[in-house]
Amino acid sequence: MHHKVVIIGSGPAGLTAALYAARANLEPLVIRGLQPGGLIATTSEVENYPGFPEGIGGFELAEAMEKQAARFGTQYLDSMVTKVDVDQRPFVIHTDGGQTVTADAIIVSTGASPRKLGVPGEAELANRGVSYCATCDGFFFRGKKVVVVGGGNSALDEGLFLTRYVDELVIVHRRDTLRADPVLQERAFNNPKVRFIWNSTVVAINGKDKVESVTLRNLKTGEMSELPTDGVFPYIGHVPNTELFRGILELDEGGYIVTDGRTRTNIPGIFAAGDVADHIYRQAVTAAGDGCRAAMEATWYLAEQEHARAKATATASA
Protein backbone atom coordinates (compact mmCIF):
# COMPACT_ATOMS: atom_id res chain seq x y z
CA MET A 1 0.00 0.00 0.00
CA HIS A 2 1.66 3.20 -1.18
CA HIS A 3 0.66 6.82 -0.55
CA LYS A 4 2.37 10.03 -1.49
CA VAL A 5 1.72 11.37 2.00
CA VAL A 6 1.10 9.42 5.19
CA ILE A 7 0.00 11.31 8.30
CA ILE A 8 0.65 9.63 11.62
CA GLY A 9 -1.90 10.88 14.16
CA SER A 10 -5.43 12.21 13.87
CA GLY A 11 -5.75 15.27 16.10
CA PRO A 12 -6.30 18.82 14.78
CA ALA A 13 -2.77 18.92 13.33
CA GLY A 14 -3.09 15.61 11.50
CA LEU A 15 -6.62 16.22 10.22
CA THR A 16 -5.81 19.72 9.00
CA ALA A 17 -2.72 18.36 7.25
CA ALA A 18 -4.94 15.72 5.67
CA LEU A 19 -7.38 18.36 4.46
CA TYR A 20 -4.67 20.44 2.77
CA ALA A 21 -2.84 17.41 1.36
CA ALA A 22 -6.08 16.00 -0.03
CA ARG A 23 -6.97 19.30 -1.67
CA ALA A 24 -3.51 19.17 -3.31
CA ASN A 25 -4.54 15.81 -4.85
CA LEU A 26 -2.00 13.88 -2.79
CA GLU A 27 -4.62 11.36 -1.58
CA PRO A 28 -3.18 11.17 1.95
CA LEU A 29 -3.55 8.30 4.37
CA VAL A 30 -4.14 9.10 8.04
CA ILE A 31 -3.09 6.41 10.49
CA ARG A 32 -5.38 7.28 13.38
CA GLY A 33 -3.45 5.74 16.25
CA LEU A 34 -4.58 4.99 19.78
CA GLN A 35 -6.86 8.04 20.15
CA PRO A 36 -8.83 8.86 16.98
CA GLY A 37 -9.39 12.60 16.92
CA GLY A 38 -6.52 13.19 19.32
CA LEU A 39 -6.83 14.53 22.85
CA ILE A 40 -9.26 17.21 21.67
CA ALA A 41 -11.82 14.44 21.14
CA THR A 42 -11.80 13.76 24.90
CA THR A 43 -12.47 17.40 25.81
CA SER A 44 -15.99 18.16 26.95
CA GLU A 45 -16.30 21.60 25.43
CA VAL A 46 -14.02 23.72 23.26
CA GLU A 47 -14.71 27.43 23.59
CA ASN A 48 -11.58 28.92 22.03
CA TYR A 49 -11.67 27.45 18.53
CA PRO A 50 -12.68 30.13 15.98
CA GLY A 51 -16.06 29.84 14.32
CA PHE A 52 -18.07 28.43 17.21
CA PRO A 53 -19.50 31.31 19.26
CA GLU A 54 -21.37 28.91 21.57
CA GLY A 55 -18.48 26.46 21.80
CA ILE A 56 -18.38 22.91 20.45
CA GLY A 57 -17.74 19.49 21.94
CA GLY A 58 -14.23 18.19 21.34
CA PHE A 59 -15.47 14.95 19.81
CA GLU A 60 -17.83 16.86 17.49
CA LEU A 61 -15.01 19.14 16.36
CA ALA A 62 -12.69 16.21 15.59
CA GLU A 63 -15.46 14.35 13.79
CA ALA A 64 -16.22 17.39 11.62
CA MET A 65 -12.54 17.80 10.74
CA GLU A 66 -12.31 14.13 9.78
CA LYS A 67 -15.37 14.30 7.54
CA GLN A 68 -14.11 17.45 5.86
CA ALA A 69 -10.76 15.84 5.03
CA ALA A 70 -12.51 12.66 3.81
CA ARG A 71 -14.64 14.73 1.45
CA PHE A 72 -11.50 15.57 -0.55
CA GLY A 73 -10.12 12.04 -0.68
CA THR A 74 -8.36 11.38 2.62
CA GLN A 75 -8.25 7.72 3.62
CA TYR A 76 -8.04 6.42 7.20
CA LEU A 77 -6.41 3.43 8.81
CA ASP A 78 -7.24 2.38 12.38
CA SER A 79 -3.84 1.14 13.50
CA MET A 80 -0.85 2.02 15.62
CA VAL A 81 2.50 2.61 13.94
CA THR A 82 5.14 0.33 15.42
CA LYS A 83 8.16 1.18 13.27
CA VAL A 84 9.23 3.69 10.61
CA ASP A 85 12.12 2.80 8.29
CA VAL A 86 13.71 6.03 7.07
CA ASP A 87 16.81 4.47 5.53
CA GLN A 88 15.11 3.82 2.21
CA ARG A 89 12.87 5.68 -0.20
CA PRO A 90 9.97 5.56 -0.18
CA PHE A 91 9.73 5.45 3.61
CA VAL A 92 8.34 2.20 5.05
CA ILE A 93 5.79 2.29 7.87
CA HIS A 94 4.84 -0.81 9.86
CA THR A 95 1.65 -1.06 11.94
CA ASP A 96 0.44 -3.27 14.76
CA GLY A 97 -2.13 -4.75 12.39
CA GLY A 98 0.61 -6.23 10.23
CA GLN A 99 0.18 -3.70 7.42
CA THR A 100 3.16 -2.23 5.60
CA VAL A 101 2.65 1.22 4.10
CA THR A 102 5.14 3.13 1.96
CA ALA A 103 5.17 6.91 1.69
CA ASP A 104 7.04 9.56 -0.24
CA ALA A 105 6.50 11.99 2.64
CA ILE A 106 5.46 11.62 6.28
CA ILE A 107 3.78 14.13 8.55
CA VAL A 108 4.19 13.25 12.23
CA SER A 109 1.31 14.56 14.33
CA THR A 110 1.26 12.03 17.15
CA GLY A 111 0.53 14.70 19.76
CA ALA A 112 1.13 14.31 23.46
CA SER A 113 -0.24 12.17 26.29
CA PRO A 114 -1.24 13.20 29.80
CA ARG A 115 1.69 13.28 32.19
CA LYS A 116 1.37 10.77 35.00
CA LEU A 117 1.82 11.70 38.63
CA GLY A 118 4.24 8.83 39.10
CA VAL A 119 3.08 8.06 42.63
CA PRO A 120 2.25 4.77 44.38
CA GLY A 121 -1.24 3.55 43.57
CA GLU A 122 -1.63 5.47 40.32
CA ALA A 123 -0.99 2.56 37.97
CA GLU A 124 -2.65 0.00 40.25
CA LEU A 125 -5.89 1.99 40.45
CA ALA A 126 -6.03 3.16 36.84
CA ASN A 127 -9.62 2.84 35.60
CA ARG A 128 -10.66 2.10 39.19
CA GLY A 129 -10.92 5.71 40.22
CA VAL A 130 -7.85 7.14 38.53
CA SER A 131 -8.75 8.72 35.19
CA TYR A 132 -7.21 11.17 32.74
CA CYS A 133 -10.45 11.91 30.88
CA ALA A 134 -13.29 13.70 32.64
CA THR A 135 -15.42 13.59 29.51
CA CYS A 136 -15.03 9.83 29.26
CA ASP A 137 -15.49 8.92 32.91
CA GLY A 138 -17.27 11.81 34.62
CA PHE A 139 -20.65 10.07 34.61
CA PHE A 140 -19.31 7.25 36.79
CA PHE A 141 -18.64 9.73 39.62
CA ARG A 142 -22.18 10.98 39.96
CA GLY A 143 -22.82 12.02 43.56
CA LYS A 144 -19.22 11.36 44.60
CA LYS A 145 -16.18 13.36 45.70
CA VAL A 146 -13.20 13.66 43.36
CA VAL A 147 -9.77 15.27 43.32
CA VAL A 148 -8.31 17.11 40.34
CA VAL A 149 -4.55 17.68 40.38
CA GLY A 150 -3.23 20.74 38.56
CA GLY A 151 -3.77 24.45 38.10
CA GLY A 152 -3.82 25.05 34.36
CA ASN A 153 -6.57 25.30 31.77
CA SER A 154 -7.03 21.54 31.48
CA ALA A 155 -7.38 21.07 35.23
CA LEU A 156 -10.04 23.77 35.58
CA ASP A 157 -11.86 23.06 32.34
CA GLU A 158 -12.18 19.35 33.01
CA GLY A 159 -12.80 19.97 36.70
CA LEU A 160 -15.71 22.28 35.93
CA PHE A 161 -17.11 19.61 33.63
CA LEU A 162 -16.97 17.13 36.50
CA THR A 163 -19.12 19.43 38.66
CA ARG A 164 -22.04 18.37 36.47
CA TYR A 165 -21.87 15.02 38.25
CA VAL A 166 -19.93 15.16 41.51
CA ASP A 167 -21.03 16.49 44.86
CA GLU A 168 -17.62 17.91 45.70
CA LEU A 169 -14.53 18.72 43.63
CA VAL A 170 -11.19 19.37 45.32
CA ILE A 171 -8.46 20.94 43.18
CA VAL A 172 -4.97 20.25 44.51
CA HIS A 173 -2.31 22.64 43.20
CA ARG A 174 1.37 22.86 44.04
CA ARG A 175 1.33 26.67 44.06
CA ASP A 176 -0.87 29.31 45.67
CA THR A 177 -2.03 30.79 42.36
CA LEU A 178 -3.51 29.23 39.23
CA ARG A 179 -2.08 29.29 35.71
CA ALA A 180 -5.47 28.90 34.02
CA ASP A 181 -7.17 31.61 31.99
CA PRO A 182 -8.95 34.24 34.13
CA VAL A 183 -12.39 33.26 32.81
CA LEU A 184 -11.88 29.67 33.99
CA GLN A 185 -10.55 30.82 37.34
CA GLU A 186 -13.62 32.98 37.88
CA ARG A 187 -15.94 30.09 37.11
CA ALA A 188 -14.07 27.76 39.45
CA PHE A 189 -13.92 30.25 42.34
CA ASN A 190 -17.64 30.93 42.00
CA ASN A 191 -18.69 27.28 41.81
CA PRO A 192 -20.03 26.10 45.19
CA LYS A 193 -18.92 22.53 44.52
CA VAL A 194 -15.26 23.49 44.09
CA ARG A 195 -12.67 24.01 46.78
CA PHE A 196 -8.89 24.32 46.59
CA ILE A 197 -5.95 22.89 48.49
CA TRP A 198 -2.92 25.08 47.80
CA ASN A 199 0.83 24.48 47.93
CA SER A 200 0.32 20.73 48.01
CA THR A 201 1.04 17.64 45.95
CA VAL A 202 -0.40 14.14 45.82
CA VAL A 203 2.28 11.69 46.97
CA ALA A 204 0.14 8.51 46.98
CA ILE A 205 -3.23 7.24 45.82
CA ASN A 206 -4.73 4.80 48.29
CA GLY A 207 -7.27 2.01 47.99
CA LYS A 208 -7.54 -1.73 47.56
CA ASP A 209 -9.95 -2.34 44.70
CA LYS A 210 -10.83 1.30 44.07
CA VAL A 211 -9.62 4.77 45.01
CA GLU A 212 -10.41 5.57 48.64
CA SER A 213 -8.11 8.49 49.45
CA VAL A 214 -5.01 10.43 48.48
CA THR A 215 -2.01 11.29 50.62
CA LEU A 216 -1.04 14.96 50.37
CA ARG A 217 2.17 16.75 51.25
CA ASN A 218 2.19 20.47 51.98
CA LEU A 219 5.19 21.87 50.12
CA LYS A 220 5.68 24.73 52.58
CA THR A 221 5.38 22.88 55.87
CA GLY A 222 6.13 19.31 54.82
CA GLU A 223 3.00 18.20 56.67
CA MET A 224 1.38 14.98 55.42
CA SER A 225 -2.39 14.46 55.40
CA GLU A 226 -4.94 12.05 53.99
CA LEU A 227 -7.93 13.22 51.96
CA PRO A 228 -10.82 10.79 51.36
CA THR A 229 -11.93 10.75 47.70
CA ASP A 230 -13.63 8.50 45.17
CA GLY A 231 -11.56 9.53 42.19
CA VAL A 232 -8.38 11.26 41.03
CA PHE A 233 -8.00 13.18 37.77
CA PRO A 234 -4.40 14.34 37.14
CA TYR A 235 -3.97 17.30 34.77
CA ILE A 236 -0.33 18.24 35.23
CA GLY A 237 0.83 18.60 31.65
CA HIS A 238 1.69 16.34 28.76
CA VAL A 239 4.51 14.19 27.39
CA PRO A 240 5.12 14.19 23.61
CA ASN A 241 4.42 10.90 21.86
CA THR A 242 7.83 10.63 20.20
CA GLU A 243 9.26 7.38 21.53
CA LEU A 244 8.71 5.85 18.09
CA PHE A 245 11.13 8.37 16.59
CA ARG A 246 13.83 8.35 19.26
CA GLY A 247 17.17 7.82 17.52
CA ILE A 248 15.57 8.68 14.17
CA LEU A 249 14.43 12.29 14.40
CA GLU A 250 16.18 15.01 16.35
CA LEU A 251 14.43 15.57 19.69
CA ASP A 252 14.98 18.26 22.30
CA GLU A 253 15.59 17.58 25.99
CA GLY A 254 11.84 17.35 26.60
CA GLY A 255 11.36 14.76 23.86
CA TYR A 256 9.70 17.16 21.41
CA ILE A 257 10.61 16.91 17.72
CA VAL A 258 12.97 19.66 16.60
CA THR A 259 11.97 21.46 13.39
CA ASP A 260 13.47 24.30 11.40
CA GLY A 261 10.54 26.63 12.01
CA ARG A 262 8.84 25.38 8.84
CA THR A 263 7.77 21.97 10.25
CA ARG A 264 10.73 20.29 8.51
CA THR A 265 12.68 17.78 10.59
CA ASN A 266 16.30 16.70 10.25
CA ILE A 267 15.22 14.09 7.69
CA PRO A 268 14.08 15.50 4.32
CA GLY A 269 10.54 14.39 3.57
CA ILE A 270 9.48 14.05 7.21
CA PHE A 271 7.55 16.90 8.81
CA ALA A 272 6.20 17.43 12.33
CA ALA A 273 3.05 19.30 13.34
CA GLY A 274 1.14 20.07 16.50
CA ASP A 275 1.86 19.20 20.11
CA VAL A 276 4.50 16.66 19.14
CA ALA A 277 6.75 19.61 18.25
CA ASP A 278 5.16 22.44 20.27
CA HIS A 279 5.86 22.71 23.99
CA ILE A 280 4.83 26.37 24.23
CA TYR A 281 1.35 27.02 22.80
CA ARG A 282 -0.24 23.54 22.67
CA GLN A 283 -3.63 24.72 21.44
CA ALA A 284 -6.01 23.09 18.97
CA VAL A 285 -5.91 26.15 16.73
CA THR A 286 -2.10 26.34 16.67
CA ALA A 287 -1.94 22.59 16.00
CA ALA A 288 -4.30 23.07 13.05
CA GLY A 289 -2.07 25.85 11.75
CA ASP A 290 0.94 23.56 12.04
CA GLY A 291 -0.93 20.88 10.11
CA CYS A 292 -1.63 23.34 7.31
CA ARG A 293 2.02 24.37 7.14
CA ALA A 294 3.27 20.78 7.21
CA ALA A 295 0.97 19.78 4.34
CA MET A 296 2.09 22.76 2.27
CA GLU A 297 5.74 21.96 2.96
CA ALA A 298 5.15 18.32 2.01
CA THR A 299 3.44 19.42 -1.20
CA TRP A 300 6.40 21.62 -2.14
CA TYR A 301 8.87 18.90 -1.21
CA LEU A 302 7.14 16.32 -3.41
CA ALA A 303 6.95 18.79 -6.30
CA GLU A 304 10.69 19.44 -6.00
CA GLN A 305 11.40 15.71 -5.95
CA GLU A 306 9.26 15.16 -9.04
CA HIS A 307 10.97 18.03 -10.83
CA ALA A 308 14.40 16.63 -9.97
CA ARG A 309 13.45 13.19 -11.30
CA ALA A 310 12.08 14.66 -14.52
CA LYS A 311 15.24 16.69 -15.00
CA ALA A 312 17.43 13.64 -14.37
CA THR A 313 15.39 11.58 -16.87
CA ALA A 314 15.65 14.31 -19.51
CA THR A 315 19.41 14.56 -18.98
CA ALA A 316 19.84 10.82 -19.25
CA SER A 317 17.86 10.73 -22.49
CA ALA A 318 19.84 13.56 -24.09
Side-chain angles (χ1 to χ4, degrees):
M1 184 163 51
H2 178 77
H3 289 263
K4 290 183 179 179
V5 176
V6 169
I7 299 162
I8 305 175
S10 57
L15 294 176
T16 304
L19 171 63
Y20 275 78
R23 284 176 57 82
N25 293 322
L26 297 179
E27 299 179 350
L29 172 71
V30 174
I31 302 179
R32 285 193 177 100
L34 187 63
Q35 177 61 63
L39 280 181
I40 194 72
T42 69
T43 302
S44 58
E45 189 170 4
V46 180
E47 295 184 313
N48 57 0
Y49 199 89
F52 301 95
E54 303 301 322
I56 184 172
F59 178 81
E60 287 75 20
L61 178 60
E63 186 178 44
M65 287 181 169
E66 186 171 295
K67 288 180 179 178
Q68 187 176 9
R71 174 188 166 201
F72 294 99
T74 298
Q75 298 179 42
Y76 297 94
L77 179 63
D78 287 319
S79 288
M80 287 281 293
V81 174
T82 56
K83 181 182 178 183
V84 178
D85 185 351
V86 301
D87 293 328
Q88 56 181 304
R89 297 293 190 278
F91 301 116
V92 181
I93 301 166
H94 303 272
T95 75
D96 60 353
Q99 302 100 327
T100 299
V101 182
T102 58
D104 297 317
I106 295 174
I107 297 174
V108 181
S109 56
T110 47
S113 297
R115 186 183 298 277
K116 306 293 193 297
L117 293 171
V119 301
E122 182 177 21
E124 294 83 352
L125 294 170
N127 300 316
R128 288 186 287 174
V130 176
S131 173
Y132 305 91
C133 180
T135 306
C136 311
D137 299 329
F139 178 82
F140 301 110
F141 293 89
R142 185 180 295 275
K144 297 183 181 296
K145 175 180 178 178
V146 301
V147 166
V148 166
V149 185
N153 284 344
S154 294
L156 265 63
D157 190 34
E158 299 304 300
L160 287 167
F161 175 80
L162 285 169
T163 60
R164 303 182 186 187
Y165 305 105
V166 304
D167 283 350
E168 183 182 8
L169 178 79
V170 180
I171 297 178
V172 177
H173 187 40
R174 63 185 299 112
R175 299 179 178 87
D176 57 6
T177 57
L178 300 171
R179 294 176 290 108
D181 292 341
V183 64
L184 289 175
Q185 293 192 40
E186 183 179 358
R187 291 176 188 172
F189 289 139
N190 291 331
N191 192 308
K193 290 185 176 182
V194 178
R195 72 180 178 97
F196 293 85
I197 296 179
W198 305 103
N199 301 308
S200 299
T201 59
V202 173
V203 296
I205 301 174
N206 312 308
K208 185 177 181 181
D209 298 317
K210 62 180 181 178
V211 170
E212 297 174 0
S213 69
V214 293
T215 302
L216 303 177
R217 181 175 69 231
N218 187 293
L219 296 177
K220 287 192 171 182
T221 66
E223 180 184 357
M224 306 287 283
S225 61
E226 188 167 340
L227 176 69
T229 185
D230 299 298
V232 181
F233 288 78
Y235 290 105
I236 56 170
H238 295 86
V239 178
N241 298 322
T242 54
E243 193 59 36
L244 178 67
F245 302 98
R246 192 169 297 278
I248 299 174
L249 298 179
E250 182 183 353
L251 308 178
D252 68 11
E253 63 275 8
Y256 291 86
I257 297 175
V258 175
T259 68
D260 64 350
R262 291 178 53 179
T263 75
R264 299 180 298 192
T265 70
N266 59 302
I267 296 181
I270 299 184
F271 308 86
D275 289 5
V276 75
D278 174 19
H279 58 84
I280 299 175
Y281 303 105
R282 293 181 293 193
Q283 301 295 307
V285 67
T286 54
D290 275 357
C292 165
R293 295 193 301 143
M296 293 178 71
E297 291 288 352
T299 302
W300 296 335
Y301 167 80
L302 293 173
E304 290 171 0
Q305 295 296 303
E306 187 174 348
H307 175 74
R309 285 193 297 269
K311 186 176 180 180
T313 301
T315 301
S317 301

